[in-house]
Amino acid sequence: MNPLHRLLKRQLRRFANETIPLIEEHSEFIRAINDAYWQFDADRKMLEHSLELTSQELLDKNAQLTRINTELERRVLARTAELSRSEARFRGLFEDVPLSIWEEDFSAVRQNIEKLRASGIEDLAVYFDEHPEAVAENAERVRVLDVNKATLEMFQAESKDELLEDLSKVLGPDSVTPFKEELLALAQGKTFFENETVNYTVHGERRVVFVRLSIAPGYEQTWEKVFVGVSDITEQRQ
């Protein structure tokens, strides 16, 4: 029999005069209770040890997560700085290149073309010939995101706001047919298109221009970023 557990001794001591015959008469029962006390202590120590291990593991995992988060933050900061530098370089090239460049969003145009196809229209060329107003509506869906300095110079605008305030004056009445050709090319899956058309400065001066349109890589499915280069070829044509 294991030595009497201290808690069991304390319990038996409360009944000091009655314990001796009790132990003698019920020794097996007392032994079972005593063993249960000792087993409880053993289980408790094992649990405490397990909790200590679990706590240490949690501390280790937290330390590991802290290191990972620190490294991720470092990488994000480095990548953000790199992207900022790239954006600054791109913005410098965009603004200072001696060619008129328009950054545009054609996503609403693409959505409209998909809607037309879903409605059963298979031949867009015939549809646009029969509905020239649909071409004009799609032109209005194009969002001009930005233009560069050369664009302002070409179209004699003092600011981007002045140029973009009313694009119908810049594009002129002859722009519908070239834009229709542009729409059909994009609808056929082309990512590059060029043509010759007529534009006007904000003061109404006529310009013969050569237009090159290109969907930016990665935006082929959405048309959210389209770059349009415009060259003034008025003198050559004259």
Side-chain angles (χ1 to χ4, degrees):
M1 178 177 176
N2 291 327
L4 284 178
H5 192 279
R6 58 188 180 81
L7 292 178
L8 181 57
K9 286 182 180 178
R10 187 181 304 169
Q11 294 293 329
L12 294 174
R13 196 174 295 122
R14 295 174 58 189
F15 309 99
N17 296 329
E18 304 176 6
T19 54
I20 295 176
L22 182 65
I23 294 175
E24 291 177 350
E25 294 177 13
H26 303 282
S27 58
E28 292 297 328
F29 177 69
I30 297 299
R31 182 181 295 112
I33 295 177
N34 188 53
D35 291 343
Y37 271 96
W38 285 110
Q39 186 61 47
F40 175 81
D41 275 1
D43 292 343
R44 184 188 62 199
K45 290 179 180 179
M46 183 179 296
L47 178 61
E48 289 174 349
H49 180 63
S50 176
L51 290 174
E52 289 176 0
L53 291 177
T54 303
S55 298
Q56 187 58 47
E57 289 175 355
L58 287 173
L59 290 174
D60 293 341
K61 291 295 183 183
N62 284 334
Q64 183 180 1
L65 286 174
T66 300
R67 290 192 297 270
I68 292 174
N69 286 335
T70 301
E71 177 62 18
L72 285 175
E73 290 175 358
R74 185 191 67 78
R75 292 183 181 182
V76 168
L77 289 174
R79 182 58 176 162
T80 301
E82 180 183 348
L83 290 174
S84 296
R85 290 192 295 270
S86 297
E87 174 68 16
R89 287 195 297 270
F90 166 77
R91 187 53 52 187
L93 290 171
F94 177 83
E95 286 292 345
D96 299 328
V97 67
L99 171 70
S100 171
I101 299 179
W102 302 60
E103 182 182 352
E104 302 179 353
D105 180 353
F106 273 64
S107 59
V109 176
R110 179 179 177 84
Q111 292 168 10
N112 181 253
I113 289 177
E114 293 300 324
K115 183 178 179 181
L116 291 175
R117 284 173 170 161
S119 67
I121 298 173
E122 298 180 358
D123 194 331
L124 290 173
V126 173
Y127 176 80
F128 287 141
D129 284 340
E130 295 176 350
H131 300 84
E133 73 281 359
V135 178
E137 290 172 0
N138 275 294
E140 293 176 356
R141 289 186 174 90
V142 177
R143 291 179 55 232
V144 178
L145 303 178
D146 202 0
V147 295
N148 64 348
K149 296 177 182 177
T151 302
L152 300 183
E153 294 173 2
M154 177 183 295
F155 292 93
Q156 301 176 337
E158 294 294 330
S159 66
K160 295 179 182 181
D161 289 338
E162 180 185 11
L163 175 65
L164 303 178
E165 182 179 8
D166 186 1
L167 283 176
S168 63
K169 295 192 301 184
V170 173
L171 299 177
D174 302 325
S175 62
V176 174
T177 298
F179 185 73
K180 181 185 69 174
E181 296 172 354
E182 187 177 295
L183 278 180
L184 294 174
L186 294 177
Q188 292 168 5
K190 296 180 181 179
T191 59
F192 180 81
F193 176 78
E194 58 184 22
N195 69 352
E196 184 177 313
T197 186
V198 174
N199 286 165
Y200 296 84
T201 70
V202 295
H203 300 300
E205 294 184 12
R206 187 175 184 272
R207 292 285 188 268
V208 181
V209 296
F210 190 73
V211 178
R212 296 178 179 85
L213 176 147
S214 178
I215 297 178
Y219 294 89
E220 295 85 355
Q221 301 303 315
T222 63
W223 302 359
E224 289 181 353
K225 190 178 290 294
V226 176
F227 289 104
V228 181
V230 182
S231 303
D232 186 350
I233 59 173
T234 305
E235 293 184 4
Q236 292 93 314
R237 287 293 172 264
Q238 289 175 346

